[in-house]
Amino acid sequence: MRPSLLLHSLALCAALGLAACGGTAPTRPAAAADVQPPVPAPIRIGIALGGGAAKGFAHIGVIKMLEANGLAPAVVSGTSAGSVVGALYASGMNAFDLQEKAVALDETRIRDLQLSTGGMVLGQKLEDYVNEQVRRKPLEQLAKPFVAVATRLEDGERTVFARGNTGQAVRASSSVPGVFQPVSIGKFHFVDGGIVSPVPVDAARQLGADIVIAVDISNKARGQSPANLLGALNQSIAIMGQKLGQAELARADVIITPQVLDIGPADFSQRTSAIVEGEKAALAAMPQIRERVAQLQAERAKAARLAQQKVAETQYQACLDNRSRLQKLAGLAQLDDTCAAPK
């Protein structure tokens, strides 16, 4: 008998499971199961709120527009004024709650003047106000993951507060040197985070954000002399952190820059204007945000399809390997359909 006919006979024998061709019929291996496509993980949007004193009311307008467009941040990082807004938002307030708090805010509730060589403002009132608003919850128990960034005075190290007293962390992050007294925590002292991280993009990324939206309200040197001491101090901090901040800012996916440079660092009377500028800037950035979200969704969908294909191929190969010898011979003659090839 010719070899080809012999192979065909053996394969046919295996396919039919005839006892006369070598005993009992081979056990049918488990066929490859249908592979369900993995569900891509939801995209986590992070918002990095920069420092800028009274300009920080603009953050509320940005958050307001993100929520209105179904893009509410899942994680929040804040520096200085951004840490104040960030802590309240992370506590569970929505943008309208924040706006209501901002409009009703009495400056005397957060400003406690005290003559000292370390600064004119003690900062205890700010700490107490924040803790009251977040219902005295520590950072790790807030509704959204949140961190406040400060500068360690002893060595200039960037410090990210993720646990402990929320109000104290915000106070440390907001302690402008020469204005606020440094905050003592443990064996170290802390001052404004804007010195080392004006817009805390990296901190938001470390919280697990897939897309980081940075809100930059920092002072920019525009060839003009500040009108007062507080303005000079704020601009000095901005200049110190500008080079370092530019590198970190470049790592954001989207940068929103509300037009609030003309609002003074202590000008609470323009809080409504700042909120409106935040809204306008966020709306202008919305196409870019949506494009980045769509791009990341497409990347994840592609990765999910590739993962699905790899699993199907692995299962198919396992099915082929588990066939009996006779089934494999039948497969050579294309008479065995035990294992369905992945599509």
Side-chain angles (χ1 to χ4, degrees):
M1 183 181 291
R2 287 182 296 176
S4 60
L5 290 175
L6 177 61
L7 178 60
H8 190 275
S9 298
L10 287 173
L12 183 60
C13 177
L16 296 174
L18 297 177
C21 294
T24 59
T27 302
R28 185 180 182 88
D34 290 336
V35 180
Q36 297 300 319
V39 179
I43 293 174
R44 286 163 62 87
I45 294 177
I47 190 166
L49 304 174
K55 298 176 178 65
F57 289 108
H59 293 316
I60 298 173
V62 172
I63 293 171
K64 192 175 176 183
M65 290 301 102
L66 290 175
E67 287 189 338
N69 284 272
L71 298 166
V75 302
V76 188
S77 63
T79 289
S80 198
S83 73
V84 180
V85 176
L88 270 58
Y89 181 55
S91 74
M93 296 183 191
N94 60 35
F96 288 97
D97 295 329
L98 294 175
Q99 184 168 331
E100 186 178 331
K101 297 287 183 185
V103 171
L105 179 62
D106 181 352
E107 293 176 59
T108 61
R109 293 196 64 189
I110 60 172
R111 186 175 297 165
D112 43 5
L113 297 176
Q114 179 176 319
L115 293 178
S116 167
T117 55
M120 299 179 292
V121 180
L122 179 61
Q124 186 63 51
K125 278 192 173 183
L126 174 61
E127 177 179 332
D128 293 343
Y129 173 79
V130 171
N131 278 333
E132 178 186 328
Q133 299 304 315
V134 303
R135 299 179 296 281
R136 309 206 171 276
K137 288 185 178 180
L139 290 162
E140 66 272 19
Q141 291 182 16
L142 297 179
K144 294 177 185 282
F146 167 73
V147 293
V149 179
T151 304
R152 196 161 66 194
L153 191 58
E154 281 75 11
D155 54 12
E157 281 296 308
R158 166 182 171 270
T159 302
V160 177
F161 290 102
R163 300 183 62 83
N165 188 317
T166 301
Q168 189 178 53
V170 169
R171 176 184 174 187
S173 180
S174 306
S175 292
V176 179
V179 178
F180 281 79
Q181 296 177 26
V183 179
S184 177
I185 301 176
K187 61 180 181 178
F188 295 108
H189 297 83
F190 298 90
V191 293
D192 196 289
I195 298 171
V196 292
S197 183
V199 186
V201 173
D202 294 341
R205 192 79 70 185
Q206 289 162 2
L207 280 175
D210 300 308
I211 293 175
V212 176
I213 299 171
V215 187
D216 183 13
I217 55 169
S218 60
N219 285 337
K220 303 291 188 298
R222 297 183 293 169
Q224 300 175 357
S225 297
N228 50 47
L229 175 61
L230 184 57
L233 288 168
N234 270 279
Q235 185 153 313
S236 297
I237 291 173
I239 292 171
M240 282 188 289
Q242 201 162 19
K243 293 297 181 183
L244 189 63
Q246 284 175 352
E248 184 172 6
L249 200 58
R251 291 191 283 273
D253 294 278
V254 178
I255 302 170
I256 296 176
T257 310
Q259 299 303 304
V260 290
L261 290 180
D262 292 329
I263 297 178
D267 191 356
F268 279 56
S269 66
Q270 294 199 60
R271 65 189 83 181
T272 301
S273 297
I275 293 172
V276 171
E277 289 300 327
E279 294 175 4
K280 289 162 59 177
L283 281 175
M286 208 57 64
Q288 186 183 359
I289 297 171
R290 291 194 184 283
E291 181 182 359
R292 182 67 186 104
V293 170
Q295 179 185 6
L296 187 55
Q297 286 174 332
E299 290 172 359
R300 289 195 169 177
K302 181 180 179 181
R305 287 194 301 271
L306 291 174
Q308 177 188 6
Q309 182 180 354
K310 186 174 182 181
V311 170
E313 289 172 352
T314 300
Q315 291 182 348
Y316 175 62
Q317 187 59 51
C319 181
L320 292 177
D321 293 341
N322 288 332
R323 292 178 303 168
S324 69
R325 182 181 178 187
L326 292 179
Q327 284 172 324
K328 290 178 180 178
L329 287 172
L332 292 175
Q334 298 182 343
L335 294 173
D336 178 45
D337 60 355
T338 301
C339 303
K343 297 178 181 179

mmCIF file of all heavy atoms in Angstrom, residues 29-52:
data_model
loop_
_atom_site.group_PDB
_atom_site.id
_atom_site.type_symbol
_atom_site.label_atom_id
_atom_site.label_comp_id
_atom_site.label_asym_id
_atom_site.label_seq_id
_atom_site.Cartn_x
_atom_site.Cartn_y
_atom_site.Cartn_z
ATOM 1 N N PRO A 29 -10.049 15.588 23.356
ATOM 2 C CA PRO A 29 -9.530 16.654 24.220
ATOM 3 C C PRO A 29 -10.513 17.811 24.311
ATOM 4 O O PRO A 29 -11.349 18.007 23.433
ATOM 5 C CB PRO A 29 -8.252 17.110 23.495
ATOM 6 C CG PRO A 29 -8.486 16.756 22.062
ATOM 7 C CD PRO A 29 -9.324 15.504 22.078
ATOM 8 N N ALA A 30 -10.384 18.545 25.415
ATOM 9 C CA ALA A 30 -11.274 19.694 25.610
ATOM 10 C C ALA A 30 -11.005 20.726 24.529
ATOM 11 O O ALA A 30 -9.860 21.100 24.270
ATOM 12 C CB ALA A 30 -11.040 20.308 26.981
ATOM 13 N N ALA A 31 -12.057 21.158 23.881
ATOM 14 C CA ALA A 31 -11.899 22.176 22.835
ATOM 15 C C ALA A 31 -11.589 23.515 23.466
ATOM 16 O O ALA A 31 -11.904 23.774 24.631
ATOM 17 C CB ALA A 31 -13.187 22.277 22.024
ATOM 18 N N ALA A 32 -10.951 24.360 22.705
ATOM 19 C CA ALA A 32 -10.625 25.696 23.212
ATOM 20 C C ALA A 32 -11.914 26.447 23.525
ATOM 21 O O ALA A 32 -12.829 26.511 22.704
ATOM 22 C CB ALA A 32 -9.810 26.459 22.167
ATOM 23 N N ALA A 33 -11.982 26.961 24.733
ATOM 24 C CA ALA A 33 -13.180 27.691 25.146
ATOM 25 C C ALA A 33 -13.251 29.035 24.438
ATOM 26 O O ALA A 33 -12.237 29.588 24.027
ATOM 27 C CB ALA A 33 -13.158 27.906 26.658
ATOM 28 N N ASP A 34 -14.474 29.520 24.277
ATOM 29 C CA ASP A 34 -14.631 30.846 23.700
ATOM 30 C C ASP A 34 -13.988 31.872 24.615
ATOM 31 O O ASP A 34 -14.238 31.901 25.827
ATOM 32 C CB ASP A 34 -16.116 31.177 23.534
ATOM 33 C CG ASP A 34 -16.749 30.330 22.439
ATOM 34 O OD1 ASP A 34 -16.009 29.869 21.560
ATOM 35 O OD2 ASP A 34 -17.984 30.144 22.502
ATOM 36 N N VAL A 35 -13.154 32.703 24.060
ATOM 37 C CA VAL A 35 -12.433 33.699 24.850
ATOM 38 C C VAL A 35 -13.200 35.006 24.818
ATOM 39 O O VAL A 35 -13.409 35.589 23.752
ATOM 40 C CB VAL A 35 -10.997 33.905 24.300
ATOM 41 C CG1 VAL A 35 -10.265 34.938 25.139
ATOM 42 C CG2 VAL A 35 -10.252 32.584 24.278
ATOM 43 N N GLN A 36 -13.633 35.441 25.965
ATOM 44 C CA GLN A 36 -14.348 36.704 26.051
ATOM 45 C C GLN A 36 -13.353 37.859 26.047
ATOM 46 O O GLN A 36 -12.336 37.799 26.741
ATOM 47 C CB GLN A 36 -15.193 36.759 27.328
ATOM 48 C CG GLN A 36 -16.285 35.709 27.375
ATOM 49 C CD GLN A 36 -17.264 35.854 26.221
ATOM 50 O OE1 GLN A 36 -17.646 36.974 25.872
ATOM 51 N NE2 GLN A 36 -17.657 34.739 25.633
ATOM 52 N N PRO A 37 -13.617 38.885 25.278
ATOM 53 C CA PRO A 37 -12.677 40.015 25.254
ATOM 54 C C PRO A 37 -12.589 40.671 26.620
ATOM 55 O O PRO A 37 -13.622 40.902 27.269
ATOM 56 C CB PRO A 37 -13.293 40.969 24.227
ATOM 57 C CG PRO A 37 -14.732 40.579 24.156
ATOM 58 C CD PRO A 37 -14.789 39.111 24.431
ATOM 59 N N PRO A 38 -11.378 40.918 27.123
ATOM 60 C CA PRO A 38 -11.240 41.574 28.419
ATOM 61 C C PRO A 38 -11.801 42.993 28.373
ATOM 62 O O PRO A 38 -11.710 43.674 27.351
ATOM 63 C CB PRO A 38 -9.717 41.588 28.657
ATOM 64 C CG PRO A 38 -9.109 41.451 27.287
ATOM 65 C CD PRO A 38 -10.078 40.645 26.491
ATOM 66 N N VAL A 39 -12.394 43.391 29.473
ATOM 67 C CA VAL A 39 -12.958 44.748 29.552
ATOM 68 C C VAL A 39 -11.840 45.716 29.921
ATOM 69 O O VAL A 39 -11.203 45.563 30.963
ATOM 70 C CB VAL A 39 -14.077 44.817 30.615
ATOM 71 C CG1 VAL A 39 -14.628 46.230 30.708
ATOM 72 C CG2 VAL A 39 -15.174 43.828 30.280
ATOM 73 N N PRO A 40 -11.556 46.714 29.063
ATOM 74 C CA PRO A 40 -10.488 47.665 29.387
ATOM 75 C C PRO A 40 -10.793 48.410 30.684
ATOM 76 O O PRO A 40 -11.951 48.724 30.975
ATOM 77 C CB PRO A 40 -10.491 48.634 28.185
ATOM 78 C CG PRO A 40 -11.163 47.874 27.083
ATOM 79 C CD PRO A 40 -12.167 46.986 27.754
ATOM 80 N N ALA A 41 -9.768 48.639 31.475
ATOM 81 C CA ALA A 41 -9.945 49.356 32.736
ATOM 82 C C ALA A 41 -10.408 50.786 32.447
ATOM 83 O O ALA A 41 -10.006 51.384 31.443
ATOM 84 C CB ALA A 41 -8.629 49.392 33.502
ATOM 85 N N PRO A 42 -11.268 51.333 33.293
ATOM 86 C CA PRO A 42 -11.714 52.713 33.069
ATOM 87 C C PRO A 42 -10.544 53.683 33.167
ATOM 88 O O PRO A 42 -9.596 53.462 33.920
ATOM 89 C CB PRO A 42 -12.725 52.949 34.205
ATOM 90 C CG PRO A 42 -12.378 51.925 35.252
ATOM 91 C CD PRO A 42 -11.860 50.746 34.505
ATOM 92 N N ILE A 43 -10.620 54.740 32.390
ATOM 93 C CA ILE A 43 -9.550 55.742 32.377
ATOM 94 C C ILE A 43 -9.684 56.639 33.598
ATOM 95 O O ILE A 43 -10.741 57.205 33.856
ATOM 96 C CB ILE A 43 -9.597 56.562 31.084
ATOM 97 C CG1 ILE A 43 -9.237 55.663 29.897
ATOM 98 C CG2 ILE A 43 -8.653 57.764 31.143
ATOM 99 C CD1 ILE A 43 -9.380 56.323 28.559
ATOM 100 N N ARG A 44 -8.602 56.739 34.352
ATOM 101 C CA ARG A 44 -8.592 57.576 35.558
ATOM 102 C C ARG A 44 -7.993 58.942 35.216
ATOM 103 O O ARG A 44 -6.814 59.037 34.865
ATOM 104 C CB ARG A 44 -7.772 56.911 36.673
ATOM 105 C CG ARG A 44 -8.476 55.727 37.319
ATOM 106 C CD ARG A 44 -7.517 54.853 38.103
ATOM 107 N NE ARG A 44 -6.876 55.549 39.201
ATOM 108 C CZ ARG A 44 -7.389 55.655 40.433
ATOM 109 N NH1 ARG A 44 -8.574 55.127 40.696
ATOM 110 N NH2 ARG A 44 -6.736 56.266 41.401
ATOM 111 N N ILE A 45 -8.811 59.946 35.317
ATOM 112 C CA ILE A 45 -8.345 61.309 35.064
ATOM 113 C C ILE A 45 -7.856 61.906 36.367
ATOM 114 O O ILE A 45 -8.531 61.839 37.400
ATOM 115 C CB ILE A 45 -9.473 62.167 34.471
ATOM 116 C CG1 ILE A 45 -9.855 61.659 33.083
ATOM 117 C CG2 ILE A 45 -9.056 63.643 34.403
ATOM 118 C CD1 ILE A 45 -11.009 62.394 32.440
ATOM 119 N N GLY A 46 -6.684 62.476 36.330
ATOM 120 C CA GLY A 46 -6.131 63.164 37.494
ATOM 121 C C GLY A 46 -6.028 64.650 37.209
ATOM 122 O O GLY A 46 -5.790 65.050 36.065
ATOM 123 N N ILE A 47 -6.223 65.456 38.242
ATOM 124 C CA ILE A 47 -6.087 66.896 38.072
ATOM 125 C C ILE A 47 -5.025 67.413 39.033
ATOM 126 O O ILE A 47 -5.012 67.060 40.216
ATOM 127 C CB ILE A 47 -7.439 67.617 38.282
ATOM 128 C CG1 ILE A 47 -7.342 69.084 37.855
ATOM 129 C CG2 ILE A 47 -7.946 67.487 39.717
ATOM 130 C CD1 ILE A 47 -8.688 69.769 37.701
ATOM 131 N N ALA A 48 -4.097 68.185 38.496
ATOM 132 C CA ALA A 48 -3.013 68.767 39.279
ATOM 133 C C ALA A 48 -3.279 70.264 39.403
ATOM 134 O O ALA A 48 -3.207 70.991 38.409
ATOM 135 C CB ALA A 48 -1.662 68.514 38.611
ATOM 136 N N LEU A 49 -3.607 70.704 40.611
ATOM 137 C CA LEU A 49 -3.999 72.093 40.849
ATOM 138 C C LEU A 49 -2.806 72.886 41.385
ATOM 139 O O LEU A 49 -2.289 72.588 42.465
ATOM 140 C CB LEU A 49 -5.165 72.133 41.849
ATOM 141 C CG LEU A 49 -6.402 71.302 41.450
ATOM 142 C CD1 LEU A 49 -7.429 71.308 42.571
ATOM 143 C CD2 LEU A 49 -7.008 71.834 40.155
ATOM 144 N N GLY A 50 -2.385 73.879 40.611
ATOM 145 C CA GLY A 50 -1.208 74.649 40.971
ATOM 146 C C GLY A 50 -1.474 75.756 41.971
ATOM 147 O O GLY A 50 -2.619 76.084 42.286
ATOM 148 N N GLY A 51 -0.389 76.329 42.476
ATOM 149 C CA GLY A 51 -0.482 77.412 43.455
ATOM 150 C C GLY A 51 -0.629 78.766 42.794
ATOM 151 O O GLY A 51 -0.252 78.956 41.637
ATOM 152 N N GLY A 52 -1.190 79.702 43.541
ATOM 153 C CA GLY A 52 -1.378 81.050 43.001
ATOM 154 C C GLY A 52 -2.230 81.936 43.893
ATOM 155 O O GLY A 52 -2.847 82.886 43.404
#
